[in-house]
Amino acid sequence: MKLVTCLYEGTQRVGVLTDNGVMFLPYPDMNALIEAGLPAVKGAVSEKTVPLADVTLLAPVPRPRQDVICLGMNYVDHAEESARYNGRAFSKEKPVSVYFSKRVSEAAAPDTEIPSHQGLVERLDYEAELAVIIGKTAKNVKPEEAGDYIFGYTVLNDMSSRDLQTGHMQWYFGKSLDGFTPMGPCILTADETAFPPALKISSRINGEPRQDSNTSLLIHTIPAILAELTQGMTLLPGTIIATGTPAGVGMGFEPPKFLHPGDVVECEIEKIGVLRNTIR
């Protein structure tokens, strides 16, 4: 299933994306739907189906209950381009996973504008990422059991201010500005693809191809991430984990290709869809 959050007649609704439009489900929001679990969602009685043209898609999880957990430099080629851009800020002395969090007051919807924060941000960048959504409370998860804890996947654009990120020598501020977490267009439920997912991931700026890779190339895999984090951390239903981005981000070019107002950013993952936003 492809699950969406949308506005219909001024009211926020959740539902299943079908060939005929959006089939509404009886849950108040996506967090409640995720907590109910996939079997319950599949058995839920549809309230109504409306044409897609009659709704406005929002981010699948407009207001995550917690910060998004992110993986840094989790593709070999992106780790290399990051080190070329700024070895001091992006050095990685040991082959261990790099975690950071991204504050999200409200995730940006597909086909909306992303603020460029002019006057604060000079080097605005994009990162197409596969986001994993946890479906049930996870603690001390074994790698071979990790798939049982996944509710689904979505596309997340980890927007980044490279000047804030490198200037402060930490990533939280430069990745957590308002509008810096575009997400969507839907959640692809975990039963719709193999585990771990091996999906094409790409990005385009004004139609120009930038990133082109596959989620099978993660350095630290989804089973390894869940097993490591849950050794000492409880992950609740609805937790979002952004698994990292491949090479081709703006800072990776020589000279860098940062974003400017008017640029159209498209992040795409096979089976999930295209997340499109315009820089304001």
Side-chain angles (χ1 to χ4, degrees):
M1 291 188 294
K2 289 185 174 182
L3 302 171
V4 297
T5 298
C6 61
L7 281 179
Y8 175 67
E9 295 182 344
T11 302
Q12 183 174 301
R13 304 296 303 270
V14 294
V16 180
L17 195 61
T18 72
D19 292 338
N20 298 319
V22 178
M23 183 175 68
F24 293 143
L25 295 174
Y27 297 95
D29 57 34
M30 190 63 75
N31 284 313
L33 186 153
I34 293 168
E35 285 187 343
L38 199 52
V41 172
K42 287 184 174 181
V45 177
S46 171
E47 295 184 358
K48 184 178 184 180
T49 298
V50 301
L52 186 59
D54 291 350
V55 306
T56 300
L57 290 183
L58 303 176
V61 187
R63 295 187 182 275
R65 289 177 172 169
Q66 297 177 308
D67 286 1
V68 173
I69 299 172
C70 302
L71 272 288
M73 298 179 289
N74 201 26
Y75 289 79
V76 170
D77 53 4
H78 177 59
E80 292 172 347
E81 70 177 0
S82 299
R84 287 196 304 270
Y85 176 73
N86 189 321
R88 188 171 68 97
F90 295 101
S91 62
K92 192 175 181 181
E93 297 179 0
K94 297 180 180 179
V96 295
S97 46
V98 175
Y99 297 105
F100 61 95
S101 63
K102 187 177 182 80
R103 187 167 185 82
V104 187
S105 58
E106 183 174 6
D111 295 308
T112 59
E113 294 183 332
I114 299 171
S116 58
H117 295 280
Q118 295 183 60
L120 174 64
V121 176
E122 294 182 359
R123 290 175 276 163
L124 183 62
D125 213 345
Y126 55 90
E127 296 187 3
E129 305 202 10
L130 175 71
V132 177
I133 300 170
I134 302 300
K136 60 182 181 179
T137 301
K139 178 71 174 175
N140 295 322
V141 175
K142 297 177 181 179
E144 61 271 21
E145 298 172 347
D148 298 336
Y149 290 83
I150 307 302
F151 181 84
Y153 309 94
T154 192
V155 184
L156 187 147
N157 180 358
D158 179 18
M159 294 290 298
S160 306
S161 165
R162 299 302 184 192
D163 36 343
L164 294 179
Q165 185 180 9
T166 57
H168 286 262
M169 290 301 292
Q170 51 80 28
W171 300 356
Y172 188 75
F173 184 30
K175 288 175 173 283
S176 298
L177 302 184
D178 289 348
F180 270 25
T181 311
M183 189 191 306
C186 67
I187 294 173
L188 180 75
T189 55
D191 58 339
E192 293 288 339
T193 189
F195 184 81
L199 304 172
K200 294 180 181 179
I201 180 171
S202 62
S203 67
R204 297 175 294 278
I205 307 300
N206 301 324
E208 175 192 342
R210 293 286 181 90
Q211 296 175 280
D212 185 11
S213 189
N214 194 288
T215 61
S216 64
L217 298 177
L218 293 174
I219 298 172
H220 304 284
T221 65
I222 296 170
I225 293 166
L226 260 64
E228 183 170 59
L229 286 177
T230 63
Q231 288 179 93
M233 182 188 300
T234 300
L235 301 182
L236 300 177
T239 297
I240 300 171
I241 303 174
T243 56
T245 199
V249 301
M251 71 174 179
F253 291 89
E254 297 182 6
K257 296 182 177 181
F258 292 122
L259 298 170
H260 303 283
D263 286 343
V264 177
V265 184
E266 294 177 294
C267 299
E268 182 172 8
I269 297 180
E270 180 184 2
K271 294 187 178 182
I272 303 174
V274 178
L275 172 63
R276 182 183 300 104
N277 298 94
T278 302
I279 305 301
R280 182 181 76 239

